[in-house]
Amino acid sequence: MIGSKRARLLPTAEDASVTQLELFFDLVLVFAFTMVTGLVAHDTSAKNMLRAVLVLAVMWWLWIAYSWLGNTVRADEGIARVAMFVAMGGGFLAALTIPEAFDDAPGGWYGPLVFAIAYLIVRLVHLGIYVLASAEDSQLRNQVLRWSLGSITIGTTLLVIAAMTSGTTQIVLWVAAIVGDMGWTLLAGEDWRLNSASHFSERYALITIVALGESIVSIGIGVAGLPISWPIAVGSLLGLAVSGLLWWAYFDVAALSVERELQRAEGERQIKIARNSYTFWHFPMIAGIIGLSLGLKKVLYYVGDESAHSLKDTLSGIPLFALYGGVVLYLIALVGFKQYATGNITVPRLVAAGLLLALIPVACALPALASLGLLCGVLMLLIIWETMRYAAPRDEIRHAAHG
């Protein structure tokens, strides 16, 4: 019947693709990524870096909740469509409030509390739709209730309390909220439903592209309003090349390999791959890209603004660590992402990560543009080596994935 719960909430089909509404929903996270990058670019202190990571973690947890929901019921049908728009509103308010998530700005509403309440609304909408979706599935219903008992209680309650505090207490409460939320998700069981492995993997592939898009946007922001010049052109193309090489590292083989394992797995094993390889390992991947975005923004500002810097100026401190450390974190997360699902450790990527860490002192002594070129060179060598060294298995994986 049209008015039944089944009609209002349609299950996601096994061969489903990501819906246009889910892509529209992701625009909120696009904006959140930009706000996080802007937050730390404004003040590159260690304290503000920590705050940026915490905000990013909360916004990521907001997004992953709906990545699972959209794999259970179609996001663009019936009441789920309305819920997605309500969640977008709450998520957008939270993203708008990121600059005030810890310290309230003069005038207007109290920023930290607005952020916490907006986040709470998004989580409650998610819980409500999941409860409706599991009305005829006792296993899923029990899983949802078990998870929400701890996850929503810990995560949202501590954030609301944190909004009323400041300083170290506030940071500790934020950390406790995030660690508690993520930890409870690990402990709450594996009785979730994964209706479509292809939809799920596509969802995370697209959000990775969204994050890489932020790194490209940061290049443009770094030189906004400055006249085009050879340093800007070279720096922009090097930054684009770095983003492209990170895209290659994810999509050429790793994403295909893990998606294949996700499709082959059944029961708890499939849920664990979805939760650990995607939900958890993608977070440091995204955080690494945001760190790279900050570094690229600073490099382009250094090479483009002749009134404040010269081409001999070096990039150091947190901006340089974000540039190199962000790529290192991304590579390590990629290794973990693939290893959990396939059991294979991609050693060249760990070697490249170690080499980049070792090169940080060298990069500190180089002009900013040269340090970016060095980073690009290491990634280029990594991709060339992998493409040549693993040519046969690479061809097999890619051919099987598209055959």
Side-chain angles (χ1 to χ4, degrees):
M1 294 177 61
I2 295 178
S4 68
K5 289 181 179 179
R6 289 183 180 180
R8 289 189 286 117
L9 289 173
L10 299 181
T12 301
E14 184 177 353
D15 60 349
S17 297
V18 174
T19 65
Q20 293 177 344
L21 181 54
E22 287 173 298
L23 293 175
F24 188 53
F25 180 86
D26 289 354
L27 294 178
V28 169
L29 210 62
V30 172
F31 179 62
F33 288 162
T34 301
M35 294 295 282
V36 170
T37 305
L39 174 68
V40 72
H42 178 71
D43 175 13
T44 54
S45 65
K47 178 182 179 181
N48 213 40
M49 280 289 290
L50 175 59
R51 285 179 167 184
V53 171
L54 293 176
V55 169
L56 182 63
V58 168
M59 296 305 294
W60 174 253
W61 219 243
L62 179 155
W63 181 85
I64 67 99
Y66 285 83
S67 72
W68 283 84
L69 179 61
N71 199 266
T72 303
V73 295
R74 282 188 60 95
D76 59 350
E77 293 290 343
I79 193 173
R81 175 186 289 194
V82 177
M84 290 291 286
F85 279 110
V86 173
M88 278 188 72
F92 193 57
L93 281 178
L96 281 171
T97 319
I98 283 176
E100 297 182 70
F102 293 89
D103 294 322
D104 181 49
W109 291 344
Y110 185 67
L113 189 58
V114 172
F115 181 92
I117 292 175
Y119 179 69
L120 172 61
I121 290 171
V122 177
R123 293 296 297 272
L124 289 177
V125 169
H126 170 263
L127 174 60
I129 297 299
Y130 242 130
V131 168
L132 291 176
S134 60
E136 299 178 11
D137 186 341
S138 59
Q139 177 180 318
L140 179 59
R141 170 65 65 86
N142 291 335
Q143 174 65 67
V144 170
L145 294 178
R146 186 166 59 246
W147 170 76
S148 64
L149 180 65
S151 181
I152 292 183
T153 301
I154 296 171
T156 58
T157 301
L158 289 179
L159 279 182
V160 171
I161 296 173
M164 305 300 180
T165 63
S166 60
T168 302
T169 301
Q170 186 184 55
I171 294 294
V172 169
L173 286 171
W174 268 73
V175 172
I178 293 165
V179 172
D181 206 344
M182 293 184 174
W184 184 258
T185 299
L186 277 173
L187 299 173
E190 288 82 37
D191 289 334
W192 297 100
R193 300 297 189 203
L194 199 70
N195 291 345
S196 173
S198 60
H199 173 276
F200 197 80
S201 59
E202 183 186 7
R203 199 81 180 86
Y204 283 79
L206 290 172
I207 205 63
T208 302
I209 290 179
V210 164
L212 288 170
E214 168 59 21
S215 69
I216 295 173
V217 169
S218 294
I219 296 172
I221 293 176
V223 295
L226 299 176
I228 190 69
S229 62
W230 78 260
I232 289 178
V234 172
S236 298
L237 291 176
L238 283 173
L240 180 63
V242 169
S243 297
L245 290 165
L246 296 187
W247 176 93
W248 188 302
Y250 182 93
F251 288 97
D252 187 56
V253 171
L256 299 175
S257 300
V258 177
E259 180 181 355
R260 179 189 293 185
E261 293 300 321
L262 184 66
Q263 290 174 336
R264 287 176 176 173
E266 298 178 350
E268 289 189 3
R269 174 60 180 166
Q270 187 181 54
I271 297 301
K272 286 181 178 180
I273 292 175
R275 183 189 63 197
N276 297 345
S277 287
Y278 288 93
T279 294
F280 279 98
W281 271 119
H282 270 68
F283 173 64
M285 211 180 296
I286 298 299
I289 296 173
I290 299 303
L292 169 68
S293 300
L294 170 65
L296 290 176
K297 187 175 183 179
K298 290 294 185 180
V299 169
L300 268 296
Y301 174 69
Y302 271 44
V303 303
D305 190 357
E306 297 179 355
S307 65
H309 298 280
S310 74
L311 289 179
K312 295 181 180 180
D313 286 349
T314 61
L315 190 69
S316 59
I318 289 177
L320 179 67
F321 182 78
L323 182 69
Y324 274 66
V327 173
V328 168
L329 185 59
Y330 179 87
L331 291 175
I332 292 174
L334 261 180
V335 172
F337 162 65
K338 185 179 177 183
Q339 188 280 327
Y340 185 86
T342 68
N344 298 323
I345 298 176
T346 313
V347 176
R349 298 185 177 190
L350 294 179
V351 173
L355 178 59
L356 286 174
L357 287 176
L359 286 174
I360 289 179
V362 177
C364 282
L366 294 174
L369 190 59
S371 67
L372 177 57
L374 181 61
L375 173 64
C376 185
V378 171
L379 288 175
M380 182 72 73
L381 288 174
L382 169 65
I383 296 303
I384 291 174
W385 168 261
E386 287 186 345
T387 302
M388 296 176 63
R389 176 66 177 81
Y390 305 111
R394 172 179 178 269
D395 183 68
E396 189 278 327
I397 291 171
R398 291 182 60 79
H399 179 76
H402 294 93

